Structure formats: C-alpha cells, structure tokens
Amino acid sequence: MNKSELIEHIAKQADISKAAAGRALEALIGGVKTTLKKNGTVSLVGFGTFSVTKRAARTGRNPRTNEAIKIKSAKVPKFRPGKALKDAVN
C-alpha cells in the first residue's frame, strides 16, 4: 500500500473526502516527525511506538576500494510494534 492508497482507505473508513484524509495523514506524519526531532517518543496504544535511538560511530569499508572509512554517529528513527499489531499480523 502506498500513500495515495492509504489516503483513499482513510477517506472510505472515516467517510470523509480524500483531501481531508490527505491533510489528516500529513498532520499525523508531521506530528511524529516534530516529536522525534525533539528526541521524544510517540506511543499509539495497540499500534506501536516511534522513538529515536543513537547509532554509534563506526568504521566501515568502501566496497570499490576496500578502503576503511569512518562513519559518523547518527540519530535514527525506530518503530516498535505493539501487541495488538503483532497479533493482527499473526
């Protein structure tokens, strides 16, 4: 399912226009991004939790030259599914 299919699904399920569903989805995504930028977490009970973790600096290899390169530390988003989502999939 891609973004436009998701918007269409939201519009049908909530009985709203596709434009309103698109704005609602954008608002959700924007809220999650803003919270994660501030190192916060977003918990949707039954669905899962979005959080930020730190990836340590490490040494990697350039596959073309086999030369060692340094990879900087980074903050990466993480999603941990909730029990209801896990049960729905299985």
Coordinates of all heavy atoms in Angstrom, one line a residue:
M1 N 0.9 -1.2 0.0 CA 0.0 0.0 0.0 C 0.9 1.2 0.0 O 1.8 1.3 0.8 CB -0.9 0.0 1.3 CG -1.8 1.2 1.4 SD -2.8 1.2 2.9 CE -4.2 0.2 2.3
N2 N 0.6 2.2 -0.9 CA 1.4 3.4 -0.9 C 0.6 4.5 -0.3 O -0.5 4.3 0.2 CB 1.8 3.7 -2.4 CG 0.7 4.0 -3.3 OD1 -0.4 4.4 -2.9 ND2 0.9 3.7 -4.6
K3 N 1.1 5.7 -0.3 CA 0.5 6.8 0.4 C -0.9 7.2 -0.2 O -1.8 7.4 0.6 CB 1.4 8.1 0.3 CG 1.0 9.2 1.2 CD 2.0 10.3 1.1 CE 1.6 11.5 2.0 NZ 2.6 12.5 2.0
S4 N -1.0 7.2 -1.5 CA -2.3 7.5 -2.1 C -3.4 6.5 -1.8 O -4.6 6.8 -1.5 CB -2.2 7.8 -3.6 OG -1.8 6.6 -4.3
E5 N -3.0 5.2 -1.8 CA -3.9 4.1 -1.4 C -4.3 4.2 0.1 O -5.4 4.0 0.4 CB -3.3 2.8 -1.7 CG -3.1 2.5 -3.2 CD -2.2 1.2 -3.4 OE1 -1.5 0.8 -2.5 OE2 -2.3 0.7 -4.5
L6 N -3.4 4.6 0.9 CA -3.7 4.8 2.3 C -4.7 6.0 2.5 O -5.6 5.8 3.3 CB -2.4 5.1 3.1 CG -2.5 5.2 4.6 CD1 -3.2 4.0 5.3 CD2 -1.2 5.5 5.3
I7 N -4.5 7.1 1.8 CA -5.4 8.2 1.9 C -6.8 7.8 1.4 O -7.8 8.1 2.1 CB -4.8 9.4 1.0 CG1 -3.6 10.0 1.7 CG2 -5.9 10.4 0.8 CD1 -2.9 11.0 0.9
E8 N -6.8 7.0 0.4 CA -8.1 6.5 -0.1 C -8.8 5.6 0.9 O -10.0 5.7 1.2 CB -7.9 5.7 -1.4 CG -9.2 5.4 -2.2 CD -8.9 4.8 -3.5 OE1 -8.0 5.3 -4.2 OE2 -9.7 3.9 -3.9
H9 N -8.0 4.8 1.6 CA -8.6 3.9 2.6 C -9.1 4.7 3.8 O -10.2 4.4 4.3 CB -7.5 2.9 3.1 CG -7.9 2.0 4.2 ND1 -8.7 0.9 3.9 CD2 -7.7 2.0 5.5 CE1 -9.0 0.3 5.1 NE2 -8.3 0.9 6.0
I10 N -8.3 5.7 4.2 CA -8.8 6.5 5.3 C -10.1 7.3 5.0 O -11.0 7.3 5.8 CB -7.6 7.5 5.7 CG1 -6.4 6.8 6.3 CG2 -8.2 8.6 6.7 CD1 -5.2 7.7 6.4
A11 N -10.1 7.8 3.8 CA -11.3 8.5 3.3 C -12.5 7.6 3.4 O -13.6 8.0 3.8 CB -11.1 9.1 1.9
K12 N -12.4 6.4 2.9 CA -13.6 5.4 2.9 C -14.0 5.1 4.3 O -15.1 5.1 4.7 CB -13.2 4.2 2.1 CG -13.4 4.3 0.7 CD -13.1 2.9 0.0 CE -13.2 3.0 -1.5 NZ -12.8 1.7 -2.1
Q13 N -13.0 4.7 5.2 CA -13.3 4.3 6.5 C -13.9 5.4 7.4 O -14.7 5.1 8.2 CB -12.0 3.7 7.2 CG -11.5 2.4 6.5 CD -12.5 1.3 6.7 OE1 -13.0 1.0 7.8 NE2 -12.7 0.5 5.6
A14 N -13.4 6.6 7.2 CA -13.8 7.7 8.1 C -15.0 8.5 7.4 O -15.5 9.4 8.0 CB -12.7 8.6 8.4
D15 N -15.4 8.1 6.2 CA -16.4 8.7 5.4 C -16.2 10.3 5.3 O -17.0 11.1 5.7 CB -17.8 8.5 6.1 CG -18.9 8.9 5.2 OD1 -18.7 8.8 3.9 OD2 -20.0 9.2 5.7
I16 N -14.9 10.6 4.9 CA -14.5 12.0 4.6 C -13.9 12.0 3.2 O -13.7 11.0 2.6 CB -13.5 12.5 5.7 CG1 -12.3 11.6 5.7 CG2 -14.1 12.5 7.1 CD1 -11.2 12.0 6.6
S17 N -13.7 13.3 2.8 CA -13.1 13.4 1.4 C -11.7 13.0 1.4 O -11.0 12.9 2.5 CB -13.2 14.9 1.0 OG -12.4 15.7 1.8
K18 N -11.2 12.7 0.2 CA -9.7 12.3 0.1 C -8.8 13.5 0.5 O -7.8 13.3 1.1 CB -9.4 11.9 -1.4 CG -10.0 10.6 -1.7 CD -9.5 10.2 -3.1 CE -10.1 8.9 -3.6 NZ -9.7 8.5 -4.9
A19 N -9.3 14.7 0.2 CA -8.5 15.9 0.6 C -8.4 16.0 2.1 O -7.3 16.2 2.6 CB -9.1 17.2 0.0
A20 N -9.5 15.8 2.8 CA -9.4 15.8 4.3 C -8.6 14.7 4.8 O -7.8 14.8 5.8 CB -10.8 15.7 4.8
A21 N -8.7 13.5 4.2 CA -7.9 12.3 4.6 C -6.4 12.6 4.4 O -5.6 12.3 5.2 CB -8.3 11.1 3.9
G22 N -6.1 13.2 3.3 CA -4.7 13.6 3.0 C -4.1 14.6 4.0 O -3.0 14.4 4.5
R23 N -4.9 15.6 4.4 CA -4.5 16.5 5.4 C -4.3 15.9 6.7 O -3.4 16.2 7.5 CB -5.5 17.7 5.5 CG -5.5 18.6 4.3 CD -6.3 19.9 4.5 NE -7.7 19.7 4.9 CZ -8.7 19.5 4.0 NH1 -8.4 19.6 2.7 NH2 -9.9 19.3 4.5
A24 N -5.2 15.0 7.1 CA -5.1 14.2 8.3 C -3.8 13.4 8.4 O -3.1 13.4 9.4 CB -6.3 13.4 8.6
L25 N -3.6 12.7 7.3 CA -2.3 11.9 7.2 C -1.1 12.7 7.3 O -0.2 12.4 8.1 CB -2.3 11.0 6.0 CG -1.1 10.1 5.8 CD1 -1.1 9.1 7.0 CD2 -1.2 9.4 4.5
E26 N -1.1 13.9 6.6 CA 0.1 14.8 6.7 C 0.3 15.3 8.1 O 1.4 15.5 8.6 CB -0.1 15.9 5.7 CG 0.1 15.5 4.2 CD 1.5 14.9 3.9 OE1 2.5 15.4 4.5 OE2 1.5 14.0 3.1
A27 N -0.9 15.6 8.8 CA -0.8 16.1 10.1 C -0.2 15.1 11.1 O 0.7 15.4 11.9 CB -2.2 16.5 10.6
L28 N -0.6 13.8 10.9 CA 0.0 12.7 11.7 C 1.5 12.6 11.5 O 2.2 12.5 12.4 CB -0.8 11.4 11.4 CG -0.1 10.2 12.0 CD1 -0.4 10.1 13.5 CD2 -0.7 8.9 11.4
I29 N 1.9 12.5 10.2 CA 3.3 12.4 9.9 C 4.1 13.5 10.4 O 5.2 13.4 11.0 CB 3.5 12.2 8.3 CG1 2.9 10.9 7.9 CG2 4.9 12.3 7.9 CD1 2.7 10.7 6.4
G30 N 3.5 14.8 10.2 CA 4.2 16.0 10.7 C 4.4 15.9 12.2 O 5.4 16.3 12.8
G31 N 3.4 15.5 12.9 CA 3.4 15.4 14.4 C 4.5 14.4 14.9 O 5.2 14.7 15.8
V32 N 4.5 13.3 14.2 CA 5.5 12.3 14.5 C 6.9 12.8 14.3 O 7.8 12.7 15.1 CB 5.3 10.9 13.8 CG1 6.5 10.0 14.0 CG2 4.0 10.3 14.2
K33 N 7.2 13.4 13.1 CA 8.5 14.0 12.8 C 8.9 15.0 13.8 O 10.1 15.0 14.3 CB 8.4 14.6 11.4 CG 8.5 13.7 10.2 CD 8.6 14.5 8.9 CE 8.5 13.7 7.7 NZ 8.4 14.5 6.5
T34 N 8.0 16.0 14.1 CA 8.3 17.0 15.1 C 8.7 16.5 16.4 O 9.7 16.9 17.0 CB 7.1 18.0 15.2 OG1 6.8 18.5 13.9 CG2 7.4 19.1 16.2
T35 N 8.0 15.5 16.9 CA 8.2 14.9 18.2 C 9.6 14.1 18.2 O 10.4 14.3 19.1 CB 7.1 13.9 18.6 OG1 5.9 14.7 18.6 CG2 7.4 13.3 20.0
L36 N 9.9 13.4 17.1 CA 11.1 12.7 17.0 C 12.3 13.6 16.9 O 13.4 13.3 17.5 CB 11.1 11.7 15.9 CG 10.1 10.5 16.0 CD1 10.2 9.6 14.8 CD2 10.3 9.7 17.3
K37 N 12.1 14.8 16.2 CA 13.2 15.7 16.2 C 13.6 16.2 17.5 O 14.8 16.6 17.8 CB 12.8 16.9 15.3 CG 13.0 16.7 13.8 CD 12.7 18.0 13.1 CE 12.9 17.9 11.6 NZ 12.6 19.1 10.9
K38 N 12.6 16.3 18.4 CA 12.9 16.8 19.8 C 13.3 15.6 20.7 O 13.2 15.7 22.0 CB 11.6 17.5 20.4 CG 11.2 18.7 19.6 CD 10.0 19.3 20.2 CE 9.5 20.5 19.4 NZ 8.2 21.0 19.8
N39 N 13.7 14.5 20.2 CA 14.0 13.3 20.9 C 12.9 12.7 21.8 O 13.2 12.1 22.8 CB 15.3 13.5 21.7 CG 16.5 13.6 20.9 OD1 16.6 12.9 19.9 ND2 17.5 14.4 21.3
G40 N 11.7 13.0 21.4 CA 10.5 12.4 22.1 C 10.1 11.1 21.5 O 10.7 10.5 20.6
T41 N 9.1 10.5 22.1 CA 8.5 9.3 21.6 C 7.0 9.5 21.3 O 6.4 10.3 21.9 CB 8.7 8.1 22.6 OG1 8.0 8.5 23.8 CG2 10.1 7.9 22.9
V42 N 6.5 8.7 20.4 CA 5.1 8.8 20.0 C 4.6 7.4 20.3 O 5.0 6.4 19.6 CB 4.9 9.2 18.6 CG1 3.4 9.2 18.2 CG2 5.4 10.6 18.3
S43 N 3.6 7.2 21.2 CA 3.1 5.9 21.5 C 1.6 5.9 21.1 O 0.8 6.7 21.5 CB 3.1 5.6 23.0 OG 4.5 5.5 23.4
L44 N 1.3 4.9 20.2 CA -0.1 4.7 19.8 C -0.5 3.3 20.3 O 0.0 2.3 19.8 CB -0.2 4.7 18.2 CG 0.3 6.0 17.6 CD1 0.3 5.9 16.1 CD2 -0.6 7.2 18.0
V45 N -1.2 3.3 21.4 CA -1.5 2.1 22.1 C -2.2 1.1 21.1 O -3.1 1.4 20.4 CB -2.5 2.4 23.3 CG1 -2.9 1.1 24.0 CG2 -1.8 3.3 24.3
G46 N -1.7 -0.1 21.1 CA -2.2 -1.1 20.2 C -1.5 -1.2 18.9 O -1.5 -2.2 18.2
F47 N -0.9 0.0 18.5 CA -0.2 0.0 17.2 C 1.3 -0.1 17.4 O 1.9 -1.0 16.8 CB -0.6 1.3 16.4 CG 0.0 1.4 15.1 CD1 -0.4 0.6 14.0 CD2 1.0 2.3 14.8 CE1 0.1 0.7 12.8 CE2 1.6 2.4 13.6 CZ 1.2 1.6 12.5
G48 N 1.9 0.8 18.1 CA 3.3 0.8 18.4 C 3.9 2.1 18.9 O 3.1 3.0 19.1
T49 N 5.2 2.1 19.0 CA 5.9 3.3 19.5 C 7.0 3.7 18.5 O 7.8 2.9 18.1 CB 6.5 2.9 20.9 OG1 5.4 2.5 21.7 CG2 7.2 4.1 21.5
F50 N 7.0 5.0 18.2 CA 8.1 5.6 17.4 C 9.0 6.2 18.4 O 8.6 6.9 19.3 CB 7.5 6.6 16.5 CG 6.6 6.1 15.4 CD1 5.2 6.1 15.6 CD2 7.1 5.7 14.2 CE1 4.4 5.6 14.7 CE2 6.3 5.2 13.2 CZ 4.9 5.2 13.5
S51 N 10.3 6.0 18.2 CA 11.3 6.6 19.1 C 12.6 6.9 18.3 O 12.7 6.6 17.1 CB 11.6 5.7 20.3 OG 12.1 4.5 19.9
V52 N 13.5 7.6 19.0 CA 14.8 7.9 18.3 C 15.9 7.1 19.1 O 15.9 7.1 20.3 CB 15.1 9.4 18.4 CG1 16.5 9.7 17.8 CG2 14.0 10.1 17.6
T53 N 16.8 6.5 18.4 CA 18.0 5.8 19.0 C 19.2 6.4 18.4 O 19.2 7.0 17.3 CB 18.0 4.3 18.9 OG1 18.0 4.0 17.5 CG2 16.7 3.7 19.5
K54 N 20.3 6.3 19.2 CA 21.6 6.8 18.6 C 22.4 5.6 18.1 O 22.5 4.5 18.7 CB 22.4 7.4 19.8 CG 21.8 8.8 20.2 CD 22.8 9.6 20.9 CE 22.2 11.0 21.1 NZ 23.2 11.9 21.5
R55 N 23.0 5.8 16.9 CA 23.8 4.8 16.3 C 25.3 5.3 16.5 O 25.6 6.4 16.2 CB 23.5 4.6 14.8 CG 24.4 3.6 14.2 CD 24.1 3.5 12.7 NE 22.7 3.1 12.4 CZ 22.1 3.4 11.3 NH1 22.7 4.0 10.3 NH2 20.9 3.0 11.1
A56 N 26.1 4.5 17.1 CA 27.5 4.9 17.4 C 28.3 5.0 16.2 O 28.0 4.4 15.1 CB 28.1 3.9 18.3
A57 N 29.4 5.8 16.3 CA 30.3 6.0 15.2 C 31.0 4.6 15.0 O 31.2 3.9 15.9 CB 31.3 7.1 15.5
R58 N 31.3 4.3 13.7 CA 32.0 3.0 13.5 C 32.9 3.1 12.2 O 32.8 4.1 11.5 CB 30.9 2.0 13.3 CG 30.0 2.2 12.1 CD 28.7 1.3 12.2 NE 28.0 1.3 11.0 CZ 27.1 2.2 10.7 NH1 26.9 3.2 11.5 NH2 26.4 2.2 9.5
T59 N 33.6 2.1 12.0 CA 34.5 2.1 10.8 C 33.8 1.1 9.8 O 33.5 0.0 10.2 CB 35.9 1.5 11.2 OG1 36.4 2.4 12.2 CG2 36.8 1.5 10.0
G60 N 33.7 1.6 8.6 CA 33.2 0.8 7.5 C 34.2 0.6 6.4 O 35.3 1.0 6.5
R61 N 33.8 0.0 5.3 CA 34.6 -0.2 4.2 C 34.0 0.3 2.9 O 32.8 0.1 2.7 CB 34.9 -1.7 4.0 CG 35.7 -2.3 5.1 CD 37.0 -3.1 4.5 NE 37.8 -3.4 5.6 CZ 39.0 -2.8 5.8 NH1 39.4 -1.9 5.0 NH2 39.8 -3.1 6.8
N62 N 34.8 1.0 2.1 CA 34.3 1.4 0.8 C 34.4 0.1 -0.1 O 35.4 -0.4 -0.3 CB 35.2 2.5 0.2 CG 34.8 2.9 -1.2 OD1 34.1 2.2 -1.9 ND2 35.2 4.1 -1.5
P63 N 33.2 -0.4 -0.7 CA 33.3 -1.6 -1.4 C 34.1 -1.5 -2.7 O 34.6 -2.5 -3.2 CB 31.8 -1.9 -1.7 CG 31.0 -0.6 -1.4 CD 31.9 0.2 -0.5
R64 N 34.2 -0.4 -3.3 CA 35.0 -0.2 -4.5 C 36.5 -0.4 -4.3 O 37.2 -1.0 -5.0 CB 34.7 1.1 -5.2 CG 33.4 1.1 -5.9 CD 33.3 2.4 -6.7 NE 32.0 2.5 -7.3 CZ 31.5 3.5 -7.9 NH1 32.2 4.6 -8.0 NH2 30.3 3.5 -8.4
T65 N 37.0 0.4 -3.2 CA 38.4 0.4 -3.0 C 38.9 -0.4 -1.8 O 40.1 -0.6 -1.6 CB 38.9 1.9 -2.7 OG1 38.2 2.3 -1.5 CG2 38.5 2.8 -3.9
N66 N 37.9 -1.0 -1.1 CA 38.2 -1.8 0.1 C 38.9 -0.9 1.2 O 39.6 -1.5 2.1 CB 39.0 -3.0 -0.2 CG 38.7 -4.1 0.8 OD1 37.6 -4.1 1.5 ND2 39.5 -5.1 0.8
E67 N 38.8 0.4 1.0 CA 39.5 1.3 2.0 C 38.6 1.5 3.2 O 37.4 1.6 3.1 CB 39.7 2.6 1.2 CG 40.3 3.7 2.1 CD 40.3 5.0 1.2 OE1 40.4 5.0 0.0 OE2 40.2 6.1 1.9
A68 N 39.2 1.6 4.4 CA 38.5 1.8 5.6 C 38.0 3.3 5.6 O 38.7 4.2 5.3 CB 39.3 1.5 6.8
I69 N 36.7 3.5 6.0 CA 36.2 4.8 6.1 C 35.5 5.0 7.5 O 35.0 4.0 8.1 CB 35.2 5.2 5.0 CG1 34.0 4.1 5.0 CG2 35.8 5.2 3.7 CD1 32.9 4.5 4.0
K70 N 35.5 6.2 8.0 CA 34.8 6.5 9.3 C 33.4 6.9 9.0 O 33.1 7.7 8.2 CB 35.5 7.5 10.1 CG 36.9 7.1 10.5 CD 37.5 8.2 11.4 CE 38.9 7.7 11.9 NZ 39.5 8.7 12.8
I71 N 32.4 6.2 9.7 CA 31.0 6.6 9.6 C 30.6 7.3 10.9 O 30.9 6.8 12.0 CB 30.2 5.3 9.4 CG1 30.6 4.6 8.1 CG2 28.7 5.7 9.3 CD1 30.0 3.2 8.0
K72 N 30.1 8.5 10.8 CA 29.7 9.3 11.9 C 28.6 8.7 12.7 O 27.8 7.9 12.2 CB 29.3 10.7 11.5 CG 30.3 11.5 10.8 CD 29.9 12.9 10.6 CE 28.6 13.0 9.7 NZ 28.2 14.4 9.4
S73 N 28.5 9.1 14.0 CA 27.4 8.7 14.8 C 26.1 9.4 14.2 O 26.2 10.4 13.6 CB 27.6 9.0 16.2 OG 27.7 10.4 16.4
A74 N 25.0 8.8 14.5 CA 23.7 9.3 13.9 C 22.5 9.0 14.8 O 22.6 8.0 15.5 CB 23.5 8.8 12.5
K75 N 21.5 9.8 14.8 CA 20.3 9.5 15.4 C 19.4 8.9 14.3 O 19.2 9.4 13.2 CB 19.6 10.8 16.0 CG 20.4 11.4 17.1 CD 19.6 12.5 17.8 CE 19.5 13.7 17.0 NZ 18.9 14.8 17.7
V76 N 18.7 7.8 14.7 CA 17.9 7.1 13.7 C 16.5 6.8 14.3 O 16.4 6.5 15.5 CB 18.5 5.8 13.2 CG1 19.8 6.0 12.4 CG2 18.9 4.9 14.4
P77 N 15.5 6.9 13.5 CA 14.1 6.6 14.0 C 14.0 5.1 14.2 O 14.6 4.3 13.4 CB 13.2 7.2 12.9 CG 14.0 7.3 11.7 CD 15.4 7.4 12.1
K78 N 13.1 4.7 15.1 CA 12.9 3.3 15.4 C 11.4 3.1 15.6 O 10.7 4.0 16.2 CB 13.7 2.9 16.7 CG 13.5 1.5 17.1 CD 14.4 1.3 18.4 CE 14.1 -0.1 18.9 NZ 14.9 -0.3 20.1
F79 N 10.9 2.0 15.2 CA 9.5 1.7 15.4 C 9.4 0.3 16.1 O 10.0 -0.6 15.7 CB 8.7 1.6 14.1 CG 7.2 1.2 14.3 CD1 6.3 2.1 14.9 CD2 6.8 0.0 14.0 CE1 5.0 1.7 15.1 CE2 5.5 -0.4 14.2 CZ 4.6 0.4 14.7
R80 N 8.7 0.3 17.2 CA 8.5 -1.0 18.0 C 7.0 -1.3 17.9 O 6.2 -0.5 18.5 CB 9.0 -0.8 19.4 CG 9.2 -2.2 20.1 CD 9.8 -2.0 21.4 NE 8.9 -1.4 22.4 CZ 9.2 -0.3 23.1 NH1 10.4 0.3 23.0 NH2 8.3 0.3 23.9
P81 N 6.6 -2.3 17.2 CA 5.2 -2.6 17.1 C 4.5 -3.0 18.4 O 5.2 -3.6 19.3 CB 5.1 -3.8 16.1 CG 6.5 -4.4 16.1 CD 7.4 -3.3 16.5
G82 N 3.3 -2.7 18.6 CA 2.5 -3.0 19.8 C 2.0 -4.4 19.7 O 1.9 -5.1 18.7
K83 N 1.4 -4.9 20.8 CA 0.9 -6.3 20.9 C -0.2 -6.5 20.0 O -0.3 -7.5 19.3 CB 0.5 -6.6 22.3 CG 0.0 -8.0 22.5 CD -0.3 -8.3 24.0 CE -0.8 -9.7 24.2 NZ -1.3 -10.5 23.2
A84 N -1.2 -5.5 19.9 CA -2.3 -5.7 19.0 C -1.9 -5.8 17.5 O -2.5 -6.6 16.8 CB -3.3 -4.5 19.2
L85 N -0.9 -5.0 17.1 CA -0.4 -5.1 15.8 C 0.2 -6.4 15.5 O 0.0 -7.1 14.5 CB 0.5 -3.9 15.5 CG 1.1 -3.9 14.1 CD1 0.0 -3.7 13.0 CD2 2.1 -2.7 14.0
K86 N 1.1 -6.9 16.4 CA 1.7 -8.2 16.3 C 0.7 -9.3 16.2 O 0.8 -10.2 15.3 CB 2.6 -8.5 17.5 CG 3.9 -7.6 17.5 CD 4.7 -8.0 18.7 CE 5.8 -7.1 19.0 NZ 6.5 -7.4 20.3
D87 N -0.4 -9.3 17.0 CA -1.4 -10.3 17.0 C -2.2 -10.2 15.7 O -2.6 -11.3 15.2 CB -2.4 -10.1 18.2 CG -1.7 -10.4 19.5 OD1 -0.6 -11.1 19.5 OD2 -2.2 -10.0 20.6
A88 N -2.4 -9.0 15.1 CA -3.2 -8.9 13.9 C -2.4 -9.5 12.7 O -3.0 -10.0 11.8 CB -3.5 -7.4 13.6
V89 N -1.1 -9.4 12.8 CA -0.3 -9.9 11.7 C -0.2 -11.4 11.7 O -0.1 -12.1 10.7 CB 1.1 -9.3 11.7 CG1 2.0 -9.9 10.7 CG2 1.0 -7.8 11.4
N90 N -0.2 -12.0 12.9 CA 0.0 -13.4 13.1 C -1.3 -14.2 13.1 O -2.3 -14.0 13.2 CB 0.8 -13.8 14.3 CG 2.2 -13.4 14.2 OD1 2.8 -13.5 13.1 ND2 2.8 -12.8 15.2

